[in-house]
Amino acid sequence: MIIEQKTWHPRNGWNDVSKEVETSKANLVLVFGPTELIVQDSLNGTLKELYPKAEIISVSSVKSILSGEINDDLVCISAFQFSNTKIQALKINVNQVKDSFDAGAHLSAELDKDDLKYLMVFTDSTHNVNSSQLVTGIHFNISEHIPITGGVASDKNMSNTALGLNAEIGQGNIIAIGFSGNDSKIGTGMDLGWTSFGTERFISKVKNSTVYKIDHLTPLEMYTEYLEGLVDNVETSAQIEFPLGIKTTETDKRIIRSIVSFNSEDGSARFSGDLTEGDKIRILKTNISQLIDSAKNATRHSKSGINNEEPDIVFVVNCIQRSKILKDWTEDEISAVNNSIGDKRKVFGFYSSGELTPFHQSGKCELQNHTIVVTSIQETE
Amino acid sequence: MKKGYNKLLQRQIKKYTEEDIPDHMNELMSSISQAYDYYERDQALVERVMDISSKELLSANEELKKINTEMDRFVYSTSHDLRAPLLSILGLLNIIEKENEQYDLKGYLQLLRDSTVKLDRFISDIIDYSRNSRLEVLATELDITELIKESFQHLNYLPGCSSLLKLVNVDAPVKYFGDERRISIVLNNLISNSIKYQKKDIADSFVNIEASVSKDYLVIEIEDNGLGIDTPYLKKIFDMFYRANPDAKGSGLGLYIVQETIEKLNGNINVESTFGEGTRFTVKIPNLLKE
């Protein structure tokens, strides 16, 4: 597999980071960057000219990772030339179907599943997309043995995310990329980097992603009980630093759900994904060392999926909320990935507002938050 | 020194140097200061979590102790009350086996039947109690007149039911939504008490049921001119296994179940009684119409 990496900015123009692909032969291009830039016609026109045979996927992202470096205000472009892997890119808009589950089921039904090795998914958290229901829909037609990873688009102003396929960029889009063929190997890895504290509690009243009661308390009452007086603002701090971890039956790892907003009138909280009545939850906390270590662990798990051989490319989906805790240490988290891979030029990806990943190498894909997901891809020639 | 550094860090800096921190070190010092802040906050958080958990544990423990005491009492009383009619059945069977001349077989069979019925009623009460504590409240549209009628039909086997004057008046200008099974349990228990504790020496025993439905509540008054309850016992009648009347043949669970059931329905019950003159129960249960 050959990679070419570029950045683009309307003022500074194009900048080649690495140039190896015979551009006309590239079959997949991933474009990450601020929404207002990735939608620009001049960018998309040039991309089409540069990579005429490629499926070009554009995803909003506050920060993007290219060649192992974090970029804030640039569009980051990675072009790939797969020799023996068939790439299928599909797009669906949630508003064209009944709901997010239906969108997922449609995508996975349309996909040619012969020799399917891996599915990369990009989704929108705003504009009526419910990503937990989306992945359940995708699994409706795809076995849990096929690893699925990906993430939810992010933007400084979260209501302004956009995704697109081949310059058709808009809101409410969901993109799935199938990788098929016997020559590709995939390793996925995730590590939460969060530990739980406090009593195990039950979700007692919930509607989709809005939780009204945890045991006999409202979410706001519960967070206030634990955090009041210890943080400047309970609501803001809970959103960034103290997500909920849902206990799962099949693994000791928890599904993380971050708080999108509190309703101060009734004390309810809207989370970034669905919860179910009866879910067992604890509050989670982390620190800088744990987050950096988890990036290293996720990379290690991901490499073990390809028998610890050298990956050709390493796709990183990292939650934007982690960078709000890491602050000065944000780059060190990606350095931990780079160091575990060896060649940082292979590392690319984006900062998301939700991550899609199985707990292990395969298994049901779940929507996570506050997580780093590393996917190692290798194509034998 | 730059203000805003963690207090302990400020002291440490002062201890080692009199000089100001140079500007180029500020970023490093801010980062160290933040680490101190986080460390102190995490310590406080751990203490808070332990406090909350300890309180929760204590309260769960109290609750368990209460349940355990109730359970002990329940098991003791239940086994006692279950065994009494069984022993009576066994005794009667012994007599029947030993009697050579079976001249009163029918009389013995009647006694056997009485004991068996008593046993059955007691077990039904236990089932009602258990159902009430376990099942969720289920709201459906109810016809209160029909429920009262069904209750009388259900209790028709009780001695004294047919001779009792039954007055029923239901005022239902709006629909009532409630839990049918639970409201039936309340009606059956209260009406059966009016039937059981009639005065033997009068001919005009009555039970008067007045029910009214509003958009917020169902209010039922059940009044009789029966034996009545003496004031000192009035407070205890809702206790588990309490029998105000020494001759009472019930399980001692009836009014306890009524109170538990009404509590589950977020309602309340009041009793007024004059010993020797009669009793009036007033039950108020929310109308679940709007939900």
Side-chain angles (χ1 to χ4, degrees), chain B residues 48-144:
Chain B
R48 172 82 53 91
V49 168
M50 282 168 75
D51 269 359
I52 293 172
S53 297
S54 161
K55 263 185 222 155
E56 283 174 347
L57 202 63
L58 205 67
S59 119
N61 213 2
E62 289 294 318
E63 182 74 4
L64 280 177
K65 268 186 196 161
K66 195 183 139 213
I67 292 171
N68 212 9
T69 314
E70 267 178 20
M71 183 61 98
D72 269 354
R73 201 157 154 231
F74 184 77
V75 170
Y76 175 77
S77 306
T78 310
S79 22
H80 181 264
D81 284 353
L82 283 173
R83 282 197 74 205
L86 272 181
L87 289 176
S88 156
I89 292 169
L90 282 175
L92 286 162
L93 287 172
N94 277 338
I95 294 172
I96 294 168
E97 273 171 8
K98 286 179 184 166
E99 281 278 355
N100 293 327
E101 291 173 36
Q102 299 171 350
Y103 58 89
D104 195 20
L105 192 57
K106 276 202 169 168
Y108 290 139
L109 286 177
Q110 183 55 44
L111 289 171
L112 277 173
R113 174 176 294 278
D114 288 351
S115 284
T116 315
V117 166
K118 193 174 173 187
L119 204 57
D120 180 54
R121 267 185 232 152
F122 191 73
I123 293 169
S124 299
D125 279 355
I126 294 173
I127 293 171
D128 280 350
Y129 167 73
S130 159
R131 267 194 192 136
N132 178 56
S133 58
R134 286 178 205 288
L135 297 183
E136 289 298 314
V137 173
L138 190 73
T140 52
E141 188 183 342
L142 301 180
D143 179 343
I144 302 299

Side-chain angles (χ1 to χ4, degrees), chain A residues 199 201 226 228 241 327, chain B residues 34 41 44 48-49 52 56:
Chain A
T199 321
R201 297 177 190 277
Y226 281 108
E228 197 172 39
E241 296 176 89
K327 294 177 188 159
Chain B
Q34 197 184 48
R41 191 190 73 181
R48 172 82 53 91
V49 168
I52 293 172
E56 283 174 347

Side-chain angles (χ1 to χ4, degrees), chain A residues 98-322:
Chain A
K98 206 172 82 190
D99 52 27
S100 300
F101 175 89
D102 206 23
H106 266 88
L107 275 178
S108 54
E110 277 178 41
L111 205 70
D112 176 4
K113 286 171 276 289
D114 285 348
D115 293 326
L116 183 67
K117 285 285 166 342
Y118 166 57
L119 194 66
M120 190 184 272
V121 176
F122 298 103
T123 152
D124 205 345
S125 66
T126 49
H127 315 115
N128 302 329
V129 184
N130 178 322
S131 297
S132 349
Q133 290 170 14
L134 173 79
V135 282
T136 310
I138 290 176
H139 272 304
F140 194 64
N141 295 307
I142 285 188
S143 151
E144 292 181 7
H145 298 295
I146 309 288
I148 301 172
T149 64
V152 184
S154 66
D155 193 81
K156 274 177 192 150
N157 167 11
M158 280 311 295
S159 59
N160 193 32
T161 47
L163 294 98
L165 172 63
N166 298 329
E168 289 178 14
I169 303 169
Q171 300 179 331
N173 282 335
I174 299 148
I175 316 279
I177 310 161
F179 293 69
S180 314
N182 290 321
D183 297 319
S184 41
K185 275 197 223 165
I186 306 293
T188 71
M190 62 91 79
D191 194 69
L192 302 179
W194 292 80
T195 43
S196 39
F197 71 92
T199 321
E200 191 89 53
R201 297 177 190 277
F202 289 90
I203 299 290
S204 47
K205 192 175 175 195
V206 60
K207 194 174 176 202
N208 297 330
S209 57
T210 304
V211 175
Y212 296 92
K213 280 277 163 75
I214 298 172
D215 283 345
H216 60 286
L217 298 173
T218 66
L220 188 56
E221 284 168 342
M222 183 189 76
Y223 275 104
T224 306
E225 192 178 18
Y226 281 108
L227 302 178
E228 197 172 39
L230 302 182
V231 295
D232 291 339
N233 181 316
V234 171
E235 295 188 22
T236 321
S237 181
Q239 284 174 44
I240 297 172
E241 296 176 89
F242 299 101
L244 286 188
I246 310 170
K247 199 178 172 81
T248 50
T249 43
E250 54 292 358
T251 159
D252 55 345
K253 286 180 181 166
R254 287 175 184 258
I255 294 174
I256 306 182
R257 288 280 176 269
S258 64
I259 300 162
V260 177
S261 59
F262 282 102
N263 178 337
S264 47
E265 273 176 31
D266 62 6
S268 67
R270 193 160 68 81
F271 285 82
S272 52
D274 285 0
L275 287 103
T276 315
E277 203 173 300
D279 275 346
K280 282 186 199 163
I281 56 99
R282 290 178 80 186
I283 305 180
L284 304 180
K285 68 180 179 68
T286 189
N287 58 45
I288 287 160
S289 300
Q290 269 182 301
L291 289 179
I292 294 174
D293 284 349
S294 73
K296 196 169 125 191
N297 290 338
T299 315
R300 200 164 41 85
H301 294 316
S302 148
K303 271 182 84 177
S304 71
I306 55 167
N307 304 321
N308 290 312
E309 290 168 16
E310 283 297 305
D312 292 327
I313 50 172
V314 177
F315 170 50
V316 177
V317 182
N318 196 7
C319 182
I320 190 68
Q321 297 283 20
R322 289 165 76 98

